[in-house]
Amino acid sequence: MLVLPTEIQIKIFGYLDLGSIQKYRLLCKRLHSLSRSPVSHAEFLQMNYGLLFCVFYGYHLHRSLFTDRVLSILLQKGAILHRFVIQLIVSDFHASHVETSLYVYSINKGYDLYGSEVNFKANDHRVFEQALRSSALDSEQSLEQLQHLIRDVGFVPVPELCLRPYSENMYQLCQLDLSLVGHLIKQGMSVDKFNDHIIDRLLAHPYLNMSHLERYLDIGFTLSDMSIKRSLAQGKQSVLLILKRLIDKQRLHKLAHDTVFDLFGPYKTSSSLNIAWNGHSVDQLIKDFQIDKQFIRLCVMTHPDSVCTPTESHAEFPVTRPYLKTRPYPLWEWVLKQYGPHDPLSVACMDDALSRAVADQELHDLHRVFIDQGFVFQPRHIKILACRVLHRNMTENAVFLLGAMREQVLERYFRPIVNQVEPMEKMPFEDAIAFRHALNQEVLDNEEWYTRMTTIQFQGQGEGGSIRLGRPSEHGIKFHQICKKFDQELKMGLVPKEEERTSDDSTHSRTSVSLSWTKRIKLWWKNRALPWRF
């Protein structure tokens, strides 16, 4: 390092950040001396902020490095000393610690650069924003004022000195005179800080046309990936036609898939969309870009904390990416309507809807929608409902779901019905055994669950903690009673069934759940064609 020429060492200094500069100074006396050199400071400011803004940010953010000598070197390199920077130095001279040498040098340079246009007591940023605000009343006069400020004085706005949002100021300036923004861009101003804001506003405009958008693209604006994804998520066919003409087909196809993926999942990274679910837009994108079900499965079944994979489900919850969204209910309902109640995607959505510990009426209504459409309960759901009934403001919903499960299971086992949407198959004997096992394991023989049900209630909804009960919850007791009744009804139906499985020539007719155990046994003996009768 020490054998390098001084000019190279100064160049290296320009690429360092502030933390590295402190370490750079500790290496040796020569580098310590070099790091305190005004030439090194000027190189650092130029490399980090460019010639257009290095003077302002040197004074605004790096006051300890910024001296009259550094300013002189920067001006020799071609840096711009804006009038608003001189105004800032003058206003700070009496209010804060500004070196007299810097103050005097700035004043003299101001007169040299601006002559009769010098106005140190004014504030160019306030004048700029005031002209933008008054443009609604007198656009012609405001436009003349802005043109003089930008073209004649060389004013360039910076976010740190604006009272209003910087991107909104630039959007309003575009509306008044797009050529002024083009002039600022030619002077070296970057559009990165307001590009997406303005392009998003343009793409969302109801009367957007191709030529108007191209005017912005011609002066330096770009169609970024995020802007394209946000516009695709709106589902406007007119915007899609414009994008197809301006964007490469392969890039647009990839961004359409990314948009659908982001709509299904939560906002996790800076490259993800953070907008509400829009089923119409998803339908439109699926149709326009031929998005297949396999990709939708990838969108739904890749919860980052789940043991499930896009190709393999698991009994643990949650399983879907929408689970992490603030309001996933419309999305789950869309999956149900799109693929039906028995599709693995719909089953996964209902699993998560059942396990979501939220006392939300919209969620409870979604449970009813799934059940009405023919969703089939499984033994694993008893564990979820047993947990749900322990949460505050969810006990009534848990009782309703358990009642719906009981009715469905008994109907399927004893008297298979035809649902309005899809026929419901008869329940296998093994499934009925599994339901009994789950009832006993999770509720009836679970002393820990019973103790919790009678003594505490969990807060739920992300609040955490629990409250102690003076007496058991009414719905909790009802839940336990339904489980006992459910178990007894399954038990009565399983006794003759088990005997029947040991007989080769026996038949078993479907019986009604409403029959008593005694009548069911009579019917069973009658069907066995034995000589003895009741």
Side-chain angles (χ1 to χ4, degrees), residues 364 368 389 391 393-401 473 475-476:
H364 299 170
R368 294 178 181 271
V389 79
H391 286 76
N393 298 326
M394 303 181 212
T395 54
E396 184 177 0
N397 174 248
V399 170
F400 162 75
L401 292 171
S473 164
H475 290 114

Side-chain angles (χ1 to χ4, degrees), residues 426-479:
K426 188 178 188 304
M427 178 186 294
F429 173 75
E430 292 76 11
D431 287 358
I433 293 290
F435 270 103
R436 277 207 69 202
H437 177 74
L439 282 169
N440 285 275
Q441 183 179 27
E442 304 298 340
V443 179
L444 301 178
D445 296 337
N446 192 332
E447 294 183 3
E448 181 182 1
W449 176 88
Y450 188 80
T451 301
R452 289 185 177 182
M453 185 272 291
T454 55
T455 58
I456 63 174
Q457 271 191 353
F458 298 111
Q459 295 283 61
Q461 295 189 242
E463 299 177 7
S466 60
I467 57 174
R468 184 165 292 279
L469 299 175
R471 60 180 181 178
S473 164
E474 178 182 346
H475 290 114
I477 295 297
K478 187 175 181 180
F479 184 93

